[in-house]
Amino acid sequence: TSSMITTMVSDMIIASEAAGDIVFSSSVNEVMQLFRKFMFERIYHSQALEKEREQAMFVIEQLYCYYLKNFSALPEEFLQRGKVWGKETTVTDYIAGLTDSYAVQLFRELLMPPVGIMVNK
C-alpha cells in the first residue's frame, strides 16, 4: 500500500508539472483504471462480501445515531466544528474519518452490552 501511494503521488507531481494540470501519467492512469475496475467487481459489488457490507453499514448507522444523541461525546475539535457545520455534518465528518477497525472498536465500546459470565447456581 505504501509503495502504491508513493508511486501515485510521485507520478502525479511529475505528470502534473509537465501538463500544467493535476494529472497522472498515461501509464499510471491506465493501472489506476484497472485497479478501480477490479475493486468495483471484486469488492464494492461482490456478492460474496454482501454480508460484510451490510454489517459495516449497520455499524456506521448506529454510530451516527449514537453521536447525534450524544453529540458531546465527540472529540473537542469536532464539538467546535459543530457550531459552524451543525450536528449532522459534523457527525458524518467524524465517522467518515474513522478507520474500519476503530469504528468497530467504538461500536463495541459504546453500543454493545457487556457480556457477563453465566454461573450455574
Side-chain angles (χ1 to χ4, degrees), residues 68-82:
L68 280 182
K69 291 178 185 170
N70 301 282
F71 191 75
S72 63
L74 287 171
E76 182 61 34
E77 69 182 273
F78 287 90
L79 296 177
Q80 296 304 315
R81 292 177 192 176

Side-chain angles (χ1 to χ4, degrees), residues 11 16 20 27 29 36 47 50 54 57 59 66 71 84 95:
D11 181 83
S16 297
S27 59
N29 187 51
R36 186 176 188 275
Q47 288 299 317
E50 182 65 29
E54 289 174 8
M57 213 43 203
V59 167
Y66 175 84
F71 191 75
V84 177
I95 292 170

Side-chain angles (χ1 to χ4, degrees), residues 3 5 10 12 23 25 29 31 44-45 52 57-59 68-69 73 78 81 88 94-95 98 110-111 121:
S3 64
I5 293 170
S10 298
M12 184 175 282
V23 296
S25 67
N29 187 51
V31 171
Y44 305 139
H45 297 146
E52 286 83 355
M57 213 43 203
F58 181 77
V59 167
L68 280 182
K69 291 178 185 170
F78 287 90
R81 292 177 192 176
E88 291 84 1
Y94 176 68
I95 292 170
L98 301 176
L110 300 172
L111 299 162
K121 293 186 177 189

Side-chain angles (χ1 to χ4, degrees), residues 11 13 24-25 29 44 48 62 64 71 85 87 89 102 113:
D11 181 83
I13 291 168
F24 284 120
S25 67
N29 187 51
Y44 305 139
Q62 295 305 307
Y64 181 80
F71 191 75
W85 296 354
K87 283 184 175 184
T89 300
Y102 189 59

